[in-house]
Amino acid sequence: MKFIERLGREWLFFDGGMGSILQERGLAAGELPETWNITHADEIQSIHRAYLDAGSDIINTNTFGANALKFPDNLREIVEAAVAHAKEARRQAGREDAYIALDIGPTGRLLQPLGDLPFEQAVALFGEVVRIGAAAGADLVLIETMSDSYELKAAVLAAKENCDLPVLATVIFDENGKLLTGGTVDAVVALLEGLGVDALGVNCGLGPKQMVPIVKRLTEVSSLPVIVSPNAGLPRSENGKTVYDIRADEFASLMAEIADLGVQVLGGCCGTTPAHIRKTVALCKGKPFVPMAKKHRTVVSSFSQAVEIGGKPVIIGERINPTGKSKFKAALREGNIEYILSEGLTQEDSGAHILDVNVGLPEIDEAAMMEQVVTRLQSVLALPLQIDTSNTEAMERGMRLYNGKPMINSVSGKRESMEAVFPLVKKYGGVVVGLTLDENGIPDTAEGRVQIAKKIYDTAAQYGIGKEDIVIDGLAMTISSDSGSALVTLETLRRVRDELGGHTILGVSNISFGLPQREIINANFFTMALQNGLSCAIINPNADAMMRSYRAFLALTGQDAQCAGYIAAYGSQPAAAPQAAADSAMPLGEAIERGLRERAAEAAKAALQTVPPLELVNTELIPALDRVGKGFEAGTVFLPQLLMSAEAAKAAFDVVKDAMRGAPQETRGRIILATVKGDIHDIGKNIVKVLLENYGYQVLDLGKDVAPEVIVDTAIRENVPLVGLSALMTTTVVSMEQTIRLLREKKPDARVVVGGAVLTQEYADSIGADCYARDAMATVHYADSVFG
């Protein structure tokens, strides 16, 4: 039976750890596990066979780190051998009912604009592995241990575009239910469901106990089968070996509890063995199987936030749009992206939940501008975006590079429009705005508009797009030319809600076009629309009258518990303060916190007219970074924003350095950073480097896959008092321990700080590190304590 016919209909079991078992069988510190596909074929086959004998239905190829970055010369040989070993093990075990998953892990690099890896290059890297593995005979693709939703999207697109196999995806959450780059369970589920994967879930990083809250949320929001593959507890070092604290019996017992939460696929990750899987299968296979229920949630998401449509009305900020805005048009013509970013940030501050993005001008390349604006916006703010264009090329470029599940504005009831837009929504995911107009124009009656809404629903279903991913625009037409138009729009909203069970949206301010004092009409019509079931309102969130109507409506309808939102907005001031214009001067500290590089540089130049350079650093730059760092530690600022703030601070530092040219340069201290031998994943190291340099430290970056001897020799030669070591994989933390041991012997006065997804405080203590840094800011704090 085909895999896809069984998935979600019966219990399925993945295998367990590969790298941790290879270590037990002699994989040397720093040795790449994938090379054993060539050098130790019998060992790889025997591990696969042991998992099949234990009851695994799916075995993962030994290709977790296989990509052209790590294997530029023999990638095909590595991947083909891996698939061949899995197939041979299946034959030897007599398990023709089992399936082979092409295992794809992260590249270890951050994608642009946060890192240096272009999105399309990431897609190409993953695509090459997919093509080789699919041709070699894999039955499905498993994308696993992803900590960045943008890289996750690149991998899923690569799989979808390069094979027709089922695609499964699992990510690595921390104990707070967040990805490294800030993604929540809800945001990840929205992204993956939009991209059309066949199952999703969580693996690695945590043991089964720590995963329970995450799994509960996954089963609450996912409509797809859920996969859970924990580590065998938390790692520690014993006699130079990495061991895990949960044995097979306890692991199986905990997995049985997880099975009862409503998941469909179980397996193991680091530290688990065939014994762990055998006992898990024995305890869980006989449990009642519950297929995942369709949730019918309407969700749009960014890299870190998910906004559900259908409960509390959603505000969509309309200011990123050139219509009637001369300054915005000038910004588009001049490529002044920071003006556009400022418009977005201002709307976020004013209470918008989603931002509409329209960059269409006849004289510019709209597709290129959409790509640039979407990419930059999602690097400095966390709100989801609505991609607003009638240009299908611009629409696709924006959707492809968008880090999340966007709203799409729009499709109409015209067949040409639906044939152009729905394939894009099906491929990339999105919640699309359906305009109630067709080849015959805009109906004058609510009945006519409701019929077009039905046509849009029915046609979308033919593309596999559910009604939950359509939001109907009832079309607000100006009452200055038709005094009854508002009533038709309100009836349309009410009937879509009551008769069709759908969600609605309006560009509210269209109702008052051509009238004086438009905000009077707009605000009152907005309240009426909300009363008639309006789900989403495209408005100017900087307009006080509109937000007063919105907040009052929530308070009056019981959607603002204890009137908390209303009181927060109006309780401490007699009248709302006017919003700053997007092109007004911005203080240096705010520009850094916002991640606006050009604004930070301009503010630094202006401040240096009256403030000495070093005073500016100590009173403005460092405090701003501290505020961002505290927000990151509190979970209110996410990694992309942290990195963009660091980039803005760097731009300001560069201005300060120019002002101090010729004067003695001071540094707070010198620090070595390195990713240890055998590990090419340098995301964590590079993030730490950016922050340390912005705090005034000189970083000697030795790169990735660095031998212990190189690190120690550099520390001795340069007399560096602090060494930072990073590792992502369990198979390489042994190299970290060797490096620390050699440092203690050769340079005992050096302090060592360690970090990485596989590490814990207990593990860091057991290998002799002086400090375990669970995130980049922790490394900065430790450096401050070392250097005083």
Side-chain angles (χ1 to χ4, degrees):
M1 185 183 294
K2 290 184 179 180
F3 172 78
I4 202 67
E5 295 173 356
R6 296 177 63 188
L7 178 65
R9 294 176 175 84
E10 62 179 275
W11 287 113
L12 290 174
F13 297 90
F14 267 103
D15 59 10
M18 171 64 78
S20 49
I21 294 179
L22 291 181
Q23 283 183 308
E24 293 178 2
R25 298 194 179 193
L27 182 74
E31 188 177 5
L32 300 178
E34 296 80 12
T35 60
W36 276 41
N37 294 328
I38 308 301
T39 60
H40 295 72
D42 290 344
E43 294 283 2
I44 299 300
Q45 290 175 19
S46 71
I47 294 170
H48 287 322
R49 197 164 56 248
Y51 279 121
L52 290 167
D53 291 342
S56 294
D57 300 297
I58 311 155
I59 52 174
N60 297 323
T61 58
N62 182 33
T63 53
F64 175 81
N67 58 63
L69 296 177
K70 190 182 290 188
F71 298 100
D73 302 320
N74 62 339
L75 178 64
R76 179 173 295 277
E77 180 185 17
I78 291 286
V79 175
E80 288 180 343
V83 177
H85 296 330
K87 292 168 72 174
E88 176 60 19
R90 180 172 61 182
R91 186 194 67 79
Q92 292 176 6
R95 287 290 311 278
E96 295 306 316
D97 62 332
Y99 306 97
I100 296 167
L102 178 66
D103 192 313
I104 294 180
T107 63
R109 290 167 60 180
L110 274 175
L111 274 60
Q112 292 178 347
L114 306 180
D116 61 354
L117 183 63
F119 181 84
E120 294 298 349
Q121 185 181 343
V123 174
L125 287 166
F126 292 125
E128 183 179 10
V129 179
V130 170
R131 288 193 300 275
I132 298 169
D139 300 305
L140 63 135
V141 176
L142 173 68
I143 299 162
E144 62 148 313
T145 321
M146 288 289 176
S147 59
D148 173 14
S149 59
Y150 208 29
E151 185 176 27
L152 173 64
K153 179 173 182 174
V156 172
L157 286 178
K160 292 278 190 177
E161 292 174 350
N162 288 280
C163 75
D164 58 2
L165 301 176
V167 178
L168 285 60
T170 59
V171 301
I172 178 170
F173 288 111
D174 63 20
E175 290 190 30
N176 297 316
K178 298 286 183 66
L179 300 183
L180 171 69
T181 49
T184 63
V185 170
D186 290 44
V188 170
V189 169
L191 169 67
L192 290 175
E193 288 187 344
L195 291 172
V197 302
D198 297 289
L200 54 82
V202 58
N203 79 291
C204 202
L206 301 171
K209 293 178 184 176
Q210 294 83 9
M211 277 190 182
V212 167
I214 296 166
V215 174
K216 286 181 177 178
R217 187 59 185 167
L218 279 168
T219 58
E220 287 170 358
V221 299
S222 176
S223 295
L224 298 174
V226 169
I227 307 163
V228 182
S229 295
N231 289 347
L234 301 177
R236 66 180 186 277
S237 180
E238 286 185 2
N239 302 318
K241 291 185 177 181
T242 302
V243 298
Y244 289 79
D245 62 3
I246 296 182
R247 300 192 180 279
D249 286 334
E250 183 183 0
F251 182 85
S253 177
L254 291 167
M255 292 301 283
E257 295 177 15
I258 285 177
D260 291 335
L261 297 177
V263 306
Q264 288 73 38
V265 186
L266 298 171
C269 202
C270 301
T272 56
T273 66
H276 289 77
I277 300 303
R278 179 180 294 106
K279 294 191 174 184
T280 297
V281 173
L283 278 181
C284 298
K285 199 172 185 68
K287 284 180 170 290
F289 180 82
V290 180
M292 186 59 70
K294 184 82 171 168
K295 303 302 190 298
H296 300 290
R297 300 172 73 236
T298 302
V299 181
V300 296
S301 67
S302 67
F303 72 91
S304 66
Q305 292 186 11
V307 174
E308 184 169 2
I309 296 169
K312 183 183 296 185
V314 170
I315 300 297
I316 301 174
E318 67 180 6
R319 297 295 297 168
I320 302 178
N321 189 317
T323 304
K325 304 179 185 72
S326 58
K327 289 182 179 179
F328 194 93
K329 290 179 180 178
L332 289 176
R333 295 188 190 102
E334 298 163 7
N336 184 359
I337 303 300
E338 295 227 346
Y339 177 89
I340 300 171
L341 300 184
S342 296
E343 284 284 8
L345 290 164
T346 300
Q347 292 180 94
E348 182 178 40
D349 289 345
S350 297
H353 306 118
I354 298 170
L355 297 183
D356 184 79
V357 179
N358 185 317
V359 294
L361 280 182
E363 62 268 38
I364 68 170
D365 183 342
E366 184 181 354
M369 181 59 72
M370 180 67 78
E371 178 179 320
Q372 187 177 6
V373 171
V374 165
T375 302
R376 288 290 302 278
L377 274 170
Q378 64 189 4
S379 70
V380 300
L381 52 77
L383 296 185
L385 304 181
Q386 175 172 270
I387 297 170
D388 183 357
T389 178
S390 58
N391 181 324
T392 53
E393 181 188 358
M395 184 179 289
E396 178 163 20
R397 296 234 335 238
M399 293 176 74
R400 185 174 181 86
L401 291 174
Y402 180 69
N403 189 359
K405 181 184 178 184
M407 285 195 79
I408 306 301
N409 193 3
S410 56
V411 70
S412 72
K414 295 180 180 179
R415 179 151 300 279
E416 179 184 18
S417 173
M418 292 188 285
E419 288 177 350
V421 174
F422 283 148
L424 298 181
V425 176
K426 179 62 177 175
K427 178 175 182 177
Y428 297 109
V431 173
V432 63
V433 174
L435 305 179
T436 50
L437 62 89
D438 60 12
E439 289 82 358
N440 298 316
I442 301 172
D444 294 330
T445 65
E447 172 63 24
R449 297 182 193 184
V450 168
Q451 290 305 315
I452 293 175
K454 291 179 179 178
K455 179 168 66 171
I456 292 172
Y457 285 147
D458 292 344
T459 307
Q462 296 172 17
Y463 288 87
I465 300 168
K467 186 168 70 173
E468 64 269 17
D469 284 329
I470 307 289
V471 178
I472 297 298
D473 190 335
L475 299 177
M477 310 298 293
T478 179
I479 58 172
S480 63
S481 59
D482 180 0
S483 60
S485 65
L487 297 176
V488 172
T489 300
L490 295 173
E491 183 184 348
T492 303
L493 298 180
R494 191 166 56 252
R495 290 184 61 181
V496 169
R497 178 193 63 188
D498 296 342
E499 297 176 15
L500 305 185
H503 303 309
T504 53
I505 187 171
L506 286 178
V508 176
S509 60
N510 293 337
I511 202 70
S512 64
F513 186 78
L515 294 173
Q517 300 293 321
R518 294 181 62 187
E519 71 172 20
I520 298 173
I521 296 292
N522 292 344
N524 284 279
F525 175 68
F526 185 23
T527 300
M528 295 170 72
L530 291 170
Q531 289 174 319
N532 282 273
L534 181 64
S535 310
C536 309
I538 305 174
I539 66 170
N540 177 6
N542 306 333
D544 221 26
M546 300 299 282
M547 294 308 291
R548 285 196 190 109
S549 294
Y550 176 71
R551 293 184 178 116
F553 175 82
L554 295 182
L556 290 166
T557 56
Q559 298 182 77
D560 182 8
Q562 287 79 51
C563 300
Y566 184 88
I567 293 169
Y570 306 117
S572 61
Q573 53 187 28
Q579 293 290 334
D583 59 345
S584 62
M586 181 177 287
L588 176 57
E590 183 179 351
I592 291 172
E593 291 181 65
R594 295 297 202 179
L596 301 177
R597 296 190 295 264
E598 294 173 13
R599 292 287 180 101
E602 293 169 1
K605 289 177 184 176
L608 285 171
Q609 302 299 314
T610 56
V611 181
L614 286 178
E615 182 180 336
L616 187 66
V617 169
N618 292 324
T619 61
E620 292 285 346
L621 272 71
I622 297 300
L625 282 172
D626 284 340
R627 290 192 294 272
V628 175
K630 289 176 181 176
F632 177 70
E633 291 170 336
T636 58
V637 171
F638 303 106
L639 181 61
Q641 296 154 307
L642 179 71
L643 292 178
M644 289 300 100
S645 293
E647 287 295 315
K650 182 177 182 297
F653 270 118
D654 288 343
V655 171
V656 173
K657 288 177 183 177
D658 285 343
M660 297 174 63
R661 196 178 301 277
Q665 299 294 308
E666 293 185 11
T667 179
R668 301 179 72 180
R670 303 170 77 218
I671 302 170
I672 288 174
L673 292 182
T675 301
V676 298
K677 183 173 176 58
D679 204 323
I680 68 161
H681 301 85
D682 58 358
I683 289 178
K685 173 185 65 65
N686 291 342
I687 293 168
V688 171
K689 177 184 177 182
V690 169
L691 291 184
L692 285 171
E693 288 180 338
N694 277 285
Y695 274 86
Y697 293 101
Q698 181 184 351
V699 175
L700 283 66
D701 184 359
L702 302 185
K704 55 197 176 187
D705 190 19
V706 185
E709 295 78 12
V710 173
I711 296 170
V712 174
D713 289 346
T714 305
I716 294 171
R717 183 178 66 252
E718 301 291 337
N719 193 26
V720 177
L722 179 58
V723 176
L725 303 176
S726 174
L728 179 70
M729 302 186 298
T730 55
T731 54
T732 59
V733 288
V734 177
S735 296
M736 184 179 283
E737 185 174 6
Q738 291 179 350
T739 303
I740 294 172
R741 192 180 305 123
L742 192 59
L743 275 168
R744 297 298 182 234
E745 177 186 341
K746 302 287 187 180
K747 191 171 174 34
D749 62 326
R751 307 278 188 89
V752 183
V753 55
V754 298
V758 295
L759 294 177
T760 63
Q761 182 67 61
E762 182 182 3
Y763 196 102
D765 293 341
S766 69
I767 62 176
D770 295 294
C771 175
Y772 162 61
R774 62 181 301 149
D775 57 44
M777 282 306 302
T779 306
V780 173
H781 295 326
Y782 184 66
D784 289 345
S785 70
V786 169
F787 291 96

